[in-house]
Amino acid sequence: MSLFDWFADRRKGQYVGNIKREPEEGDGLWSKCPECGLVVYLKDLRLNANVCAGCDYHHRIDSAERIALIVDPDSFQPLNVDLSPMDPLEFRDRRAYADRLRESQAATGLNDGVVTGLCQVDGILIGLAVMDFRFMGGSMGSVVGEKITRLVEECTSRKLPLLIVCASGGARMQEGMLSLMQMAKISGALERHREAELLYLPLLTHPTTGGVTASFAMLGDLILAEPKALIGFAGRRVIEQTLREKLPNNFQTAEYLQDHGFVDAIVPRTQLRSTLASLLRLHGSKSLKSVGA
C-alpha cells in the first residue's frame, strides 16, 4: 500500500461531524462583505445601494446599477450606443485583442467600457458617463475616449452640467498611442466646456488609476469620490521603488487624497443622488418642472 492510499484509508474512518456551511454569494441569496465579513441578504444589500450595513464598505457595481442609483426613473437616454472598438494594431499578447473584445462584449452586454447619455437628477437635465470596470478593467480605448468626448461636446452645445463616473485601470495598452491620445482629446473638450462656464463633476470610484486619473478624472470643478476608493496614477510598489521610501498604509485612498487637497468631497453612495441635486442647484441648474411652470 502506498503512503497516499494509507492516508486516504485513515480519512475514510474519521468522523467529521456536522459541518456548518457559510452562505456563499454563488447561491444567489447572500453576500459576504470582504471588509468585515458580515453576511447579509442580497436583496437587503441592493436596497442599501450595495453598501455594507456593518462597515460601510462599498461593493463594486456595474454601469446599469450605477445609472439606476443616480438618475430619475426612466429618464436616461443613451447616446452613441453603436460605437464599437476596432483592432487597428492587430495586437496580440497571450491572446488576440479581438478575442478579448468579443469576450468582454459577451460577458457585459456592452460595446465598450463606458455608457454615456443624457438624464435627469431630481428633475435637472445633465450629461452622464459611467465607466464599467467589468469591460477589460474599465480601460480607456478609442471608443471610450470618443464617447466621452461626444458627450462633453453635446453638454457644451446644450449648456448642460456633466457628471463622469470614473472606474478604470488606465489606458488600454492594446491600442497603444491611440489610447493615450484620448487623454488629450477629452481634456480639450472639457476645456471648452469650462470656457462656457458649465459645471463638470467627476466621481472617482474604486479603482480610478492610470491615464484616467492623469486626465479627466482630476479636471472637475468639484472632485467627488466614494469612501475608501483607490485613486492614483502609478501603483504603490512603483512609487515606493522610485522614491525609495515606505508609503502610508492609506496612501492613494480617497480619504488620504481629500486630506491632501486632491479630492473635494467624499460622498457615500447612499447620499449620492441628493448630494448631486444640491450641487447642481447651487450652481444654478433648475429642474425641468420648475422651468416648465
Side-chain angles (χ1 to χ4, degrees), residues 178-209:
L178 296 174
S179 175
L180 297 178
M181 289 169 60
Q182 309 311 311
M183 298 168 60
K185 184 168 70 175
I186 298 172
S187 299
L190 286 173
E191 174 61 17
R192 293 187 289 274
H193 189 266
R194 185 196 66 81
E195 290 173 351
E197 299 182 351
L198 299 169
L199 179 65
Y200 164 48
L201 301 172
L203 173 64
L204 315 185
T205 68
H206 180 83
T208 299
T209 60

Side-chain angles (χ1 to χ4, degrees), residues 267-282:
V267 183
R269 193 179 292 163
T270 52
Q271 302 173 20
L272 180 58
R273 184 185 293 181
S274 60
T275 300
L276 289 173
S278 298
L279 291 174
L280 290 168
R281 287 195 171 88
L282 283 171

Side-chain angles (χ1 to χ4, degrees), residues 227-269:
K228 299 181 181 179
L230 172 66
I231 304 166
F233 178 63
R236 167 187 286 269
R237 184 173 59 183
V238 173
I239 298 174
E240 285 183 338
Q241 290 175 350
T242 302
L243 299 180
R244 297 183 181 179
E245 62 180 61
K246 185 70 175 177
L247 298 172
N249 291 331
N250 65 340
F251 179 71
Q252 291 186 326
T253 62
E255 289 74 13
Y256 183 91
L257 294 183
Q258 184 185 38
D259 291 341
H260 291 78
F262 288 92
V263 168
D264 294 303
I266 296 175
V267 183
R269 193 179 292 163

